[in-house]
Amino acid sequence: MNSQPPTTTTDTGIPVSSDEYSLTVGAGGPNLLQDTYLIEKIAHFSRERVPDRVYHVKGSGAFGYFEVTADVTQWTKAAFLNKIGKRTPILARISTVAGEEGYPDTDRDVRGFALKFYTEEGNYDMVGNNTPVFFVRDPMKFPDFIHSQERMPDNGLRDNNMQWDFWTLSPESAHQVTVLMSDRGTPRTLRHLNGYSSDTYMWQNAGGEKFWVKYHFKTEQGIQNMTDAEARAMKAEDLDYHRRDLWEAIGRQDYPAWRLEMQIMPYEDAADYRFNPFDITKVWPHKDYPAIPIGRMVFNRNPENFFAQVVQAGFEVSNMVPGIGPSPDRMVLGRMFAYGDSQRYRTGPNYGQLPVNRPLGEVHNYNKDGPMRFHHHGNQPVYAPNSYGGPKADAQRYRDPSWFVESAEIMRTAYQAHRDDNDFIQPGMLYRDVMTPTDREHLAGNIAWHLKQGVEHFIQERAINDYWARVDPDLGARVAREIGLTAASR
Ligand code: NDP
């Protein structure tokens, strides 16, 4: 350890004479405006925060690497995936959705699963969740959904009534709510959960062939959850239980790892697949599209500065490298705007220059100036076209990923339903065919407990009759029994 600590300075590096005392007129006199070190210190303190994310506020971060374990060049030309054994540095942020910074980690919630791959062709962000589906399928309903999970406008309290009102009036949420109300809604740690793209993306190989894909990051630690009672008890014991667990595991070199498995659908299958494959409230059943292992991800380094590297980390759905593109999934298309917009709002238009957000390679474009701009290429042209050697787009090598759209009128309408599309089929399959008797019992109990917390009678009835009984009659009956609804009132 350095025996002589450095001298304290102002933000401009000027040595200061005291860490303890403000400048005053005599020992008992007033403070002086000319104490610019004190003023700088207090003014900086008032500005320590940037606006929170509107949702996914509380997250934990880790650095690590992704390694390719199978040849995927038949499906994508993405350079970071082009060789078995190739490693790409990554940043991960796993978050709760509805609570603020400081909210209990073990609250029942979906967990965000955001990854940034620092590739040789720019940053690739995969911004998913720990569930394979989502609550809504159209971005028009997204702000309404988030509002329903957050706080009431008058008293500032979270409100189960608002949550169940929204869910039961939005039948497409049934699949995700089934997963949320199962014990997967209360993961034991951030190491014991899976990550899913949930959304559908496009992969394109060097020959131009296109595929629709879904990402599944399977925890090598195994899925482990808390029961509802354990999760509620942990709220009182340690609000930061998940963040602490991840930090400590990495600190003791017990590095958590995930296997990346891909579901890959040939481009042509989408038109006639039995479910609309771009509807994020549905999974692609494994027997139709088996999950193919292609890589491994390891978290092996804790952040050195939480604010700089986790709070200010910006993940953008639109950050896709050549060989990876969006799909007609409306949620992907809506999210491609939302995430960059959120970062521009939170940290300004130059957030991409922050070390954690900066790509490995150089950035060349004609964006100029703005708050906190600190990177420049010297005397280069600031407009295109130009005669002075400025960067030039390469239309030969790079094309925007695309798909055909039937000639149709511009309209606001529901997704095109495919023959098996029904909001209750897949959650019903999960309940009947996948869950164990214990899972089913916990699911019914968790739903009942949640429904008993301040939910109005008519919404409880709707939740039983129009929602859970349609997922599965046995589940509807169990929940009704547990919340004490009589047969007559049903
Ligand atoms: P499968 O039997 O092939 O797959 C079921 C999958 O469900 C498992 O692979 C596992 O996925 C997941 N799972 C297991 N236990 C639970 C649980 N208690 N709660 C939530 N998920 C669990 O069947 P299908 O592919 O035909 O899917 C049937 C149902 O399984 C779907 O309706 C969906 O609800 C659920 N599911 C399907 C996934 C898919 O992509 N096909 C992915 C996850 C869930 P994992 O290893 O990812 O945990």
Side-chain angles (χ1 to χ4, degrees):
M1 196 160 154
N2 197 341
S3 56
Q4 190 62 33
T7 304
T8 308
T9 69
T10 65
D11 277 346
T12 47
I14 301 165
V16 299
S17 58
S18 176
D19 291 316
E20 295 174 73
Y21 306 120
S22 355
L23 211 56
T24 54
V25 183
N31 286 48
L32 289 172
L33 184 60
Q34 72 204 58
D35 189 353
T36 47
Y37 179 56
L38 173 70
I39 290 171
E40 178 187 90
K41 195 167 178 176
I42 293 175
H44 194 283
F45 179 60
S46 317
R47 290 164 177 78
E48 280 181 4
R49 303 279 182 272
V50 294
D52 277 340
R53 292 161 167 85
V54 177
Y55 52 99
H56 289 286
V57 176
K58 187 175 185 188
S60 301
F63 293 92
Y65 65 86
F66 174 80
E67 182 171 332
V68 180
T69 56
D71 184 356
V72 295
T73 53
Q74 60 180 305
W75 298 303
T76 179
K77 62 182 177 192
F80 80 105
L81 296 174
N82 68 6
K83 213 164 77 195
I84 294 176
K86 191 167 191 172
R87 282 191 182 186
T88 300
I90 57 152
L91 165 69
R93 184 174 182 276
I94 309 182
S95 51
T96 42
V97 181
E100 301 83 2
E101 186 68 63
Y103 211 74
D105 277 350
T106 57
D107 203 45
R108 180 172 301 285
D109 205 347
V110 168
R111 299 309 188 274
F113 197 89
L115 302 173
K116 185 181 291 296
F117 299 76
Y118 299 94
T119 90
E120 63 262 58
E121 289 180 312
N123 290 349
Y124 171 48
D125 293 347
M126 207 293 309
V127 196
N129 279 327
N130 73 327
T131 61
V133 290
F134 196 62
F135 297 89
V136 294
R137 57 170 77 98
D138 194 303
M140 186 64 95
K141 291 181 79 168
F142 188 75
D144 302 301
F145 159 65
I146 293 293
H147 289 168
S148 77
Q149 306 300 297
E150 294 185 331
R151 292 174 184 276
M152 292 288 282
D154 53 353
N155 58 19
L157 294 171
R158 295 280 303 274
D159 183 67
N160 285 15
N161 192 61
M162 176 165 68
Q163 297 187 23
W164 284 101
D165 191 27
F166 179 86
W167 287 333
T168 53
L169 291 173
S170 305
E172 72 271 31
S173 67
H175 198 178
Q176 174 76 313
V177 178
T178 305
V179 179
L180 172 67
M181 288 294 150
S182 80
D183 286 345
R184 289 199 180 196
T186 49
R188 183 156 299 279
T189 78
L190 303 181
R191 299 176 292 130
H192 294 94
L193 48 76
N194 289 342
Y196 304 86
S197 64
S198 320
D199 282 304
T200 298
Y201 290 93
M202 179 196 287
W203 273 8
Q204 188 167 27
N205 67 19
E209 245 183 311
K210 296 167 190 174
F211 305 86
W212 306 116
V213 299
K214 281 181 183 283
Y215 297 62
H216 301 245
F217 291 87
K218 300 285 187 70
T219 170
E220 289 186 4
Q221 293 68 242
I223 296 272
Q224 282 185 32
N225 303 309
M226 291 188 182
T227 63
D228 202 40
E230 285 174 325
R232 273 190 270 137
M234 185 55 78
K235 290 194 211 181
E237 198 176 310
D238 186 354
L239 294 174
D240 300 317
Y241 180 71
H242 284 168
R243 184 178 287 175
R244 195 183 317 282
D245 172 83
L246 183 63
W247 173 271
E248 288 179 353
I250 294 173
R252 66 174 180 265
Q253 301 185 355
D254 178 9
Y255 300 137
W258 283 258
R259 197 175 53 256
L260 173 56
E261 299 179 358
M262 299 297 298
Q263 284 188 292
I264 300 177
M265 176 185 287
Y267 181 82
E268 297 72 25
D269 283 17
D272 195 36
Y273 183 54
R274 56 201 178 101
F275 300 105
N276 185 327
F278 306 116
D279 173 356
I280 192 178
T281 70
K282 305 286 189 312
V283 296
W284 301 349
H286 287 121
K287 71 173 178 337
D288 295 350
Y289 298 100
I292 305 165
I294 71 127
R296 183 166 188 265
M297 173 173 80
V298 178
F299 297 175
N300 62 6
R301 183 161 61 88
N302 277 319
E304 289 94 43
N305 183 290
F306 190 83
F307 181 81
Q309 295 174 306
V310 183
V311 175
Q312 293 203 116
F315 297 89
E316 280 183 65
V317 174
S318 54
N319 281 346
M320 296 181 219
V321 291
I324 301 177
S327 78
D329 178 338
R330 291 184 188 180
M331 288 300 292
V332 172
L333 301 175
R335 294 171 73 218
M336 284 178 73
F337 164 72
Y339 286 61
D341 191 49
S342 164
Q343 293 312 319
R344 284 186 283 274
Y345 163 67
R346 297 182 61 234
T347 32
N350 290 312
Y351 67 93
Q353 295 186 358
L354 294 173
V356 75
N357 296 327
R358 212 161 48 203
L360 295 178
E362 284 203 17
V363 173
H364 298 283
N365 63 34
Y366 295 93
N367 293 334
K368 180 172 175 276
D369 301 347
M372 298 300 290
R373 184 85 171 175
F374 55 87
H375 176 77
H376 66 89
H377 289 293
N379 183 24
Q380 79 164 33
V382 290
Y383 52 87
N386 65 73
S387 320
Y388 300 98
K392 276 202 163 79
D394 186 343
Q396 294 308 314
R397 280 182 70 192
Y398 302 110
R399 296 240 166 98
D400 288 300
S402 68
W403 56 87
F404 288 100
V405 180
E406 75 271 28
S407 79
E409 200 181 334
I410 291 174
M411 58 181 72
R412 292 187 193 276
T413 181
Y415 262 94
Q416 218 164 40
H418 289 203
R419 60 189 176 282
D420 282 353
D421 271 325
N422 167 315
D423 291 325
F424 299 103
I425 285 184
Q426 290 197 349
M429 284 162 49
L430 176 61
Y431 180 73
R432 286 183 297 273
D433 308 336
V434 178
M435 288 189 171
T436 63
T438 307
D439 291 336
R440 286 198 282 269
E441 186 190 321
H442 286 194
L443 173 67
N446 296 343
I447 294 170
W449 189 86
H450 207 274
L451 266 173
K452 281 192 278 193
Q453 313 304 311
V455 179
E456 287 205 59
H457 188 73
F458 80 97
I459 294 182
Q460 288 180 331
E461 287 197 326
R462 192 162 69 205
I464 305 292
N465 298 324
D466 300 341
Y467 203 78
W468 294 116
R470 292 171 76 186
V471 170
D472 186 275
D474 169 65
L475 177 60
R478 279 192 193 203
V479 176
R481 230 177 6 253
E482 293 212 26
I483 64 175
L485 277 188
T486 61
S489 67
R490 293 177 56 213

